[in-house]
Structure formats: C-alpha cells, structure tokens
Amino acid sequence: MLETLGTFVINIISDTGYLGIFLLMALESACIPIPSEATMPFSGSLVALGRFNLWMVVLIGALGNLAGSLLAYAVGYWGQDKIVRILIVKYGRYFLISEHEYDRAQKWFLKYGEIIVFASRMLPVVRTFISLPAGIAKMNLTKFILYTTIGSFFWSLVLTSVGMILGQNWQSLEVYFRQFDVLIVAGLTVGGLFYLYHKYKQLKKR
C-alpha cells in the first residue's frame, strides 16, 4: 500500500507540479491518508534538482494542509460526533479511515486541549484526523487556522529540507520516519506526564 501511494504521489507531482503538492497535502488533512512523508521529501528532491523553489514548496504544502483541515473541521462542526461516526463506520474503509483512529484523535484533543492541533502536525495518524474533534468541539476558528498553519509550515519545512539533502534517495525516509513517529509520541507522553506531576506538586503545596 505504501509503495502504491508513493508511486501515486510521484506521478501527481511530476505531472502537475505545485498544484499536485497542494492537492496531496489537502487530501492528507481531509482525512484521506496520503502520506506527507512521501509528498514533501519527493518535492524536496525536486528542489535540489532546481525544478521547484524551497519556500514555494513549503508554503504550498502548509496551505494544502490548512485547506484539507478546514474541510475536516467543517465536517466535525456541522456533523458533530454522531454523524461523523456514522460516516466513518459506513464509508471509512473506502478511505482507509477507522473508527479506532478517529477515537484516538478525539481522546488526544480532549486530553491535551487546543494546542494538540499544532503539535499533532508532527504526529502519526493523529495529524490526519485531529481537525474532526476540533470542529466537533467548535474550537475558535482563528486559533484553529493559526495553529494548523504554523504546525503545517514547520512540518513541511522539515520534510522538504530532508528531501533536499537526500536528493534521489528520499524514499529511504519511509522507514526512519516511522521510527521518528514513535520517538515523538514517546517524548510528548513523557513531557505530558512531567507537566501533570509538576501541576500535582503545585496543587499539593497549595
């Protein structure tokens, strides 16, 4: 599946250029799992070849993420949990979306609050679905756009830069990014536990 998606990404970007980057990144954030780990590094390799401009690629990638995220936000906002869940159960398999993944994104939003909209842009799976619970919770739209744009810009910059460095070997990123995903989640978990412990000590003193 990953190999097929990778080939799809290469063909779209090769044929349509910047527009392809925008569409692929929008699809990922609209809950259709087109991996940004393929889209942006491949675009970065084309930057290294002189076909694309670095900052144009990064900006378009971030705007694509924002567009897809706004669509998912709107679905959550107007559909609410009951409708969203029905849609996922009924049609999710056609878009590789599972109820389990949706529940995970919802739990993360409830646990960490609105800041997870920013942080999740660098997290596996959650980044694809986090806009749904944000919409359901009716998160302030301005804050949602700001957090999404900043997080997406940073993520796009990292992936594109690494793709530039690796050049034609950009596909070797796949294995390593899966490992990085695990490390990022572990780091955030430890950080969250430390934060809760610190708050507990403050409350105990009071």
Side-chain angles (χ1 to χ4, degrees):
M1 179 63 73
L2 286 173
E3 185 177 348
T4 301
L5 287 173
T7 302
F8 173 73
V9 166
I10 291 172
N11 291 336
I12 290 293
I13 295 175
S14 297
D15 292 341
T16 62
Y18 290 122
L19 176 61
I21 297 172
F22 179 88
L23 292 175
L24 290 169
M25 294 298 278
L27 286 173
E28 182 195 37
S29 291
C31 304
I32 298 174
I34 304 295
S36 55
E37 291 95 334
T39 301
M40 300 312 293
F42 175 64
S43 301
S45 72
L46 296 180
V47 171
L49 292 174
R51 285 189 55 187
F52 287 158
N53 174 272
L54 170 62
W55 297 111
M56 279 292 290
V57 167
V58 173
L59 179 61
I60 289 173
L63 291 177
N65 265 173
L66 175 61
S69 297
L70 285 171
L71 178 60
Y73 176 94
V75 171
Y77 187 95
W78 297 108
Q80 290 299 292
D81 181 68
K82 184 177 180 180
I83 301 300
V84 170
R85 195 172 295 277
I86 290 173
L87 290 173
I88 290 175
V89 171
K90 194 170 183 179
Y91 302 108
R93 62 183 178 276
Y94 300 115
F95 300 97
L96 305 181
I97 302 172
S98 71
E99 192 174 10
H100 169 71
E101 290 166 340
Y102 165 66
D103 286 336
R104 183 193 301 180
Q106 195 168 40
K107 287 176 182 177
W108 279 60
F109 185 85
L110 292 174
K111 184 176 182 179
Y112 296 107
E114 295 177 345
I115 194 62
I116 195 63
V117 172
F118 164 75
S120 67
R121 299 302 157 184
M122 291 160 279
L123 296 175
V125 182
V126 179
R127 64 172 165 261
T128 307
F129 304 104
I130 196 63
S131 301
L132 289 172
I136 290 171
K138 291 182 168 53
M139 176 180 174
N140 178 273
L141 184 58
T142 301
K143 289 175 68 176
F144 177 81
I145 291 173
L146 179 64
Y147 289 171
T148 299
T149 302
I150 295 174
S152 298
F153 186 88
F154 178 75
W155 182 237
S156 296
L157 178 60
V158 169
L159 292 183
T160 305
S161 298
V162 176
M164 285 178 61
I165 294 169
L166 292 178
Q168 295 303 305
N169 297 315
W170 67 272
Q171 286 178 307
S172 62
L173 282 173
E174 181 182 309
V175 174
Y176 297 109
F177 270 116
R178 297 304 166 187
Q179 296 173 354
F180 291 159
D181 283 342
V182 174
L183 291 175
I184 290 170
V185 172
L188 286 174
T189 301
V190 172
L193 290 174
F194 178 79
Y195 174 79
L196 291 174
Y197 175 72
H198 180 68
K199 285 294 183 182
Y200 171 75
K201 287 183 67 176
Q202 286 184 331
L203 289 172
K204 193 173 181 181
K205 286 181 181 179
R206 290 175 185 174

